[in-house]
Amino acid sequence: METQSSPKALTKLKSSCRSTELVICCTSLLVMILLLFHLRTSFNSSYSYSRTSSASRAFLIKWKGLAIDSSSSSAQDHSKNTEALISKLRDSVTFLPIKDLRFVETAMLGHTWFISSMNDTHEENEAEHLYFPSEASKGRLLCMKGRNKEDGTKNSYAFAWPESLPESATLLKGLTFVSDTYYDYKNLWHGLTAMVPFVSWSIKNRCLRPNRWLLFHWGELRDQMGSWLYHLMQANFGEVEIAAVMRHNEGSMGKARKLQVFDLLRCKARGFCGINPAGKGQEFNEKGQPIIRLTLLMRRGSRSFKNATAVTEIFAEECAMVDGCVLKVEQSEDLSFCDQVKVMTGTDVVASPHGAQLTNMLFMDRNSSVMEFFPKGWLELAGVGQYAHHWMADQSGMRHRGAWWDPLGQKECPTPHNDLECFKFYKNGQVGHNETYFAEWARSILNQVRISKLEQATRSRSNLGACVC
Ligand SMILES: *[C@@H]1O[C@H](CO)[C@@H](O)[C@H](O)[C@H]1NC(C)=O
Ligand SMILES: *[C@@H]1O[C@H](CO)[C@@H](O)[C@H](O)[C@H]1NC(C)=O
Ligand SMILES: *[C@@H]1O[C@H](CO)[C@@H](O)[C@H](O)[C@H]1NC(C)=O
Ligand SMILES: *[C@@H]1O[C@H](CO)[C@@H](O)[C@H](O)[C@H]1NC(C)=O
C-alpha cells in the first residue's frame, strides 16, 4: 500500500482508530461536493446498514452458486469456498484517484471529478449528494486512502462490501460527513455554503448527527475548519471530530429549505452562546417608540472604510434623529464567535463593507436589514460573486437594502484592458464615502424599519420556540 508522508493530516482520525493504516471505510457516509455555485444532494433514508449487509450476503450466495460445483459441497467445503470468494472480492477492490483529472476542465458543466465513478442522487429542492451504502453503490461502503494535502490525485477511493474490505482497512462506525469544496473552510461565507447542505440533509433525516467530518478541497485533505464555522457546526451538531466528503454547495436547495436551515443555525447558535432572544422585537422606549438597533460592523485592512470616523459620524447623526434608534460600532475581528452571535442577535440593521464578516447576518432575526459597501472597481469588474451577500440575505430571510459602490471614474489599474488583472488591483482597496448619499440612505432605511416595527407590534409574535432539531 502506498504510504504518504504527511504526519499531521488525519491525526485526529488516526487517533480514533485502532489501526494506523491509511485506508478507512465508513459504515454510513454522506458525500457532498461543493463546486462553484452549483449544488447537488439527495438521500434515500430507507437504506440501512443491515439491509445492505443482507443484500451483499445475497450477492455472495449468488456468486457462490456460479463459482463452485454445488453437488460436491459439504458444509466444510461450503465455508471454505465462501472464504475463498471473500478473499477474491477483497483482492479485487480497486482504488481510483479521488480527483479525476479527466473531468477537471468540465467540472462546471456538471460532471464532477471528485469520486467521478458514481453519480449524485438528486431530490427536488435538495442538494445533490452521494450516500453509502446505498442501492446505487450496490450495498458497498466507500473506502478512502491517502492524506495528501497538496495533490488530490494522490488520494484515492474504492467501493467495497463490508464482508470483504481491503486488508489494511479500518472500519469507522457511525455516520461520516464528507465534504469537498472548490473554496475553503476558513472563509465564513464559503465555509457556510459548504456546510448548509449537510444541515439540510440532517433536518430531513431525523436530525441525524455525524460522528465525524472528512474535509477536502480539490480532493486534498483538510484537517480543520475556521473557528467561526467550527463553532457554528458545534452549536448545531455538538462535538464532532474532523476526520473528514459533500461535493456541491447549497445551489439546488429550495428556498423554503434554506430558510429552515438558517432558522435552525440561528436558533442553535443562540442556544450554544446562552442568548435568550425572548422579548426582542417588542422593545419600546419610554416614549413608546420602537427600539431600532443599528450596527456598523467594521473591518480592518482590505475593504475597510478609508475614514471610519467620518462614516460613523454620518450614521450617528441619522440615528440620533430617529427616536428609539441605538447605534453600535463593532470591530468584527475583535469578536469571538459568541460575541458575533450576540451582537447580531441584537441588531435590526447592519451596515458593513463587503466581506466575510457579513455572513454573520444569519444571526439577526428574520426580516432584519443589510446595507453593504464596496470599494471602487467592484461594480464594474467583480462579476456576480459580489452579490453573494444579496443571495445570503435572501436565503437567510433578511432584507438586503442595497449597496453603495465607490464610484470608479477613470480606471487607474496598470492593465485597464484586462478586467481580471485590473480587478486584482482594486479587490482589496478601501471604501470611501459620500456623506449625502449615506445620510439619505440611512434615513430612508431607518424610517422603513421603524414603520415595519410599529406594524409588527400590532401583530402577535409567534416564533421563538424550540429549535427544530
Ligand atoms: C451517470 O449518469 C450519466 C448520464 O446520465 C450516465 O451516462 C452514466 O452511465 C452514469 N454513471 C453511473 C456510474 O451510473
Ligand atoms: C476623517 O473624517 C473626519 C470627520 O469627518 C475628519 O475630521 C478627518 O480629518 C478625516 N480624516 C482623514 C484622514 O481624512
Ligand atoms: C417578514 O416580513 C414579511 C413581509 O412584511 C412578513 O409577511 C413576515 O411575516 C415577516 N416575517 C417575520 C418573521 O417577521
Ligand atoms: C454623492 O451622492 C449624491 C446623492 O446620491 C450625489 O448626487 C452626488 O453626485 C454624489 N457625490 C459624489 C462625489 O459622487
Side-chain angles (χ1 to χ4, degrees), residues 451-469:
I451 291 167
S452 77
K453 284 219 155 195
L454 283 170
E455 282 171 5
Q456 212 177 44
T458 62
R459 289 200 300 263
S460 72
R461 282 170 60 88
S462 48
N463 71 1
L464 300 177
C467 304
V468 296
C469 278

Side-chain angles (χ1 to χ4, degrees), residues 59-343:
F59 175 86
L60 275 174
I61 288 163
K62 205 161 84 190
W63 265 88
K64 224 167 61 177
L66 291 173
I68 60 174
D69 177 359
S70 54
S71 63
S72 74
S73 63
S74 66
Q76 206 180 3
D77 287 347
H78 211 87
S79 85
K80 228 172 150 182
N81 284 324
T82 307
E83 283 305 312
L85 200 57
I86 288 175
S87 167
K88 283 181 184 169
L89 280 176
R90 176 172 289 134
D91 292 341
S92 67
V93 171
T94 310
F95 281 86
L96 301 168
I98 209 164
K99 176 175 178 177
D100 187 338
L101 290 178
R102 291 175 303 165
F103 300 110
V104 162
E105 296 302 319
T106 53
M108 288 168 80
L109 302 176
H111 200 112
T112 167
W113 43 261
F114 187 84
I115 310 188
S116 64
S117 64
M118 184 76 82
N119 285 338
D120 288 302
T121 312
H122 299 238
E123 267 172 16
E124 205 184 342
N125 270 341
E126 290 293 325
E128 291 132 302
H129 64 254
L130 298 173
Y131 184 80
F132 299 90
S134 62
E135 227 154 60
S137 79
K138 302 193 168 66
R140 293 170 300 177
L141 309 181
L142 180 67
C143 299
M144 322 271 290
K145 180 162 95 173
R147 48 189 177 187
N148 200 294
K149 293 171 94 174
E150 275 95 42
D151 182 355
T153 63
K154 300 257 167 67
N155 293 326
S156 53
Y157 71 99
F159 305 123
W161 282 283
E163 297 85 348
S164 54
L165 297 176
E167 279 309 340
S168 54
T170 301
L171 187 67
L172 295 182
K173 299 236 165 83
L175 177 66
T176 302
F177 278 174
V178 181
S179 165
D180 185 69
T181 178
Y182 187 85
Y183 299 103
D184 63 49
Y185 303 100
K186 300 247 153 84
N187 176 285
L188 277 52
W189 161 253
H190 292 148
L192 184 66
T193 55
M195 296 302 143
V196 158
F198 290 96
V199 177
S200 171
W201 182 89
S202 170
I203 293 176
K204 199 165 171 199
N205 292 281
R206 297 168 282 125
C207 298
L208 272 177
R209 287 156 50 159
N211 294 76
R212 67 193 70 79
W213 294 91
L214 258 174
L215 305 175
F216 291 93
H217 161 71
W218 299 352
E220 300 156 15
L221 192 72
R222 292 290 178 264
D223 55 11
Q224 49 185 318
M225 307 178 179
S227 138
W228 183 91
L229 188 63
Y230 181 76
H231 280 110
L232 184 60
M233 289 301 111
Q234 192 184 19
N236 193 61
F237 290 121
E239 203 67 58
V240 177
E241 71 172 307
I242 299 183
V245 193
M246 290 215 165
R247 51 182 185 183
H248 298 281
N249 69 4
E250 82 289 356
S252 71
M253 284 170 56
K255 176 154 180 180
R257 169 63 85 193
K258 288 179 187 165
L259 286 172
Q260 194 185 14
V261 167
F262 284 109
D263 282 350
L264 176 65
L265 290 174
R266 176 184 310 115
C267 182
K268 288 281 186 180
R270 287 174 176 179
F272 176 79
C273 296
I275 298 161
N276 177 4
K280 209 195 148 265
Q282 290 172 313
E283 300 163 295
F284 292 89
N285 69 9
E286 63 286 352
K287 293 192 206 136
Q289 293 299 322
I291 304 287
I292 301 169
R293 299 185 190 276
L294 168 63
T295 301
L296 284 176
L297 193 60
M298 301 299 202
R299 50 186 283 147
R300 297 197 180 92
S302 63
R303 277 171 272 132
S304 57
F305 286 111
K306 284 178 187 158
N307 190 336
T309 311
V311 174
T312 304
E313 277 172 10
I314 300 167
F315 278 87
E317 209 164 293
E318 292 305 320
C319 189
M321 291 196 284
V322 178
D323 205 358
C325 181
V326 180
L327 175 74
K328 264 192 177 176
V329 183
E330 299 284 354
Q331 198 66 44
S332 57
E333 300 89 341
D334 298 346
L335 303 174
S336 69
F337 174 75
C338 282
D339 286 344
Q340 294 174 66
V341 178
K342 195 169 175 190
V343 163

Side-chain angles (χ1 to χ4, degrees), residues 407 434 436-437 440:
N434 175 332
T436 320
Y437 189 94
E440 285 172 1

Side-chain angles (χ1 to χ4, degrees), residues 15-77:
S15 65
S16 74
C17 302
R18 277 191 312 270
S19 147
T20 55
E21 293 297 346
L22 294 181
V23 180
I24 53 161
C25 303
C26 304
T27 55
S28 169
L29 172 147
L30 177 70
V31 181
M32 293 206 191
I33 299 173
L34 165 59
L35 256 184
L36 301 171
F37 288 100
H38 324 219
L39 170 95
R40 328 180 176 181
T41 284
S42 78
F43 163 70
N44 185 335
S45 54
S46 68
Y47 301 139
S48 69
Y49 180 68
S50 60
R51 177 182 155 179
T52 305
S53 180
S54 62
S56 48
R57 208 162 290 129
F59 175 86
L60 275 174
I61 288 163
K62 205 161 84 190
W63 265 88
K64 224 167 61 177
L66 291 173
I68 60 174
D69 177 359
S70 54
S71 63
S72 74
S73 63
S74 66
Q76 206 180 3
D77 287 347

